[in-house]
Amino acid sequence: MKLQQCVIDFAIILITIPSLVVVALLLDYMMNRTGWAEQLESQIIMAALAVAFFLICIMISVYLTHRVGNCLWAGPQSDQQSIYTVERGLEDSASTPPPTYETIMSEHDPPSYEKISKIFPPPEEPPPSYAATVALGRDAAAHI
């Protein structure tokens, strides 16, 4: 199956890329080297080439999105997670409320101020501000 998909992908590349190049070159030739603005037949050919170029681009983008797994005409595939399953999963988890502060802290008391001040001692002198560093002419990068 994987070999078959690789062959299909390769065939699509071999068909679409040269087709786009040929249509683009024909459009360029018609616009630059013929008097397409004065002749009705040339205008019809230009419109047909532009529509063909547009349709080839649309078909390539539809195939690529389908190949990636986002089927545009059938919606998301059932084996993949979609936005609807994610929303449904969030609704189920919303039925149970989150824990409160009391339920979490009922087992342990918060640490005392003395214990926290030993872990994080206050600075002995505040660091100089940027303006003071610039005013004193010190290296600002060393203090920031």
Side-chain angles (χ1 to χ4, degrees):
M1 183 68 180
K2 287 194 175 240
L3 179 64
Q4 182 183 6
Q5 190 63 46
C6 289
V7 170
I8 292 171
D9 290 344
F10 190 67
I12 287 178
I13 289 171
L14 284 179
I15 292 170
T16 56
I17 301 298
S19 300
L20 285 174
V21 169
V22 167
V23 171
L25 288 174
L26 284 171
L27 278 169
D28 181 56
Y29 176 78
M30 293 289 288
M31 287 181 73
N32 293 330
R33 292 176 181 76
T34 62
W36 68 274
E38 293 86 22
Q39 300 173 353
L40 180 63
E41 302 120 10
S42 298
Q43 291 175 355
I44 292 173
I45 292 172
M46 285 287 295
L49 287 173
V51 168
F53 190 82
F54 178 72
L55 288 177
I56 292 171
C57 289
I58 293 296
M59 290 186 330
I60 290 172
S61 63
V62 166
Y63 178 75
L64 287 176
T65 55
H66 178 70
R67 185 75 173 95
V68 169
N70 296 329
C71 191
L72 294 176
W73 53 88
Q77 304 299 319
S78 62
D79 60 341
Q80 296 176 348
Q81 195 175 34
S82 69
I83 187 82
Y84 303 110
T85 58
V86 171
E87 286 178 358
R88 199 173 317 120
L90 290 176
E91 289 171 0
D92 294 339
S93 66
S95 62
T96 60
T100 62
Y101 180 78
E102 289 79 23
T103 58
I104 293 173
M105 296 305 292
S106 64
E107 299 171 7
H108 306 288
D109 291 330
S112 66
Y113 177 75
E114 290 82 22
K115 188 174 184 180
I116 292 176
S117 64
K118 287 180 185 175
I119 295 173
F120 302 108
E124 299 181 9
E125 126 181 3
S129 67
Y130 179 75
T133 306
V134 171
L136 294 174
R138 296 183 186 163
D139 184 18
H143 293 288
I144 293 178

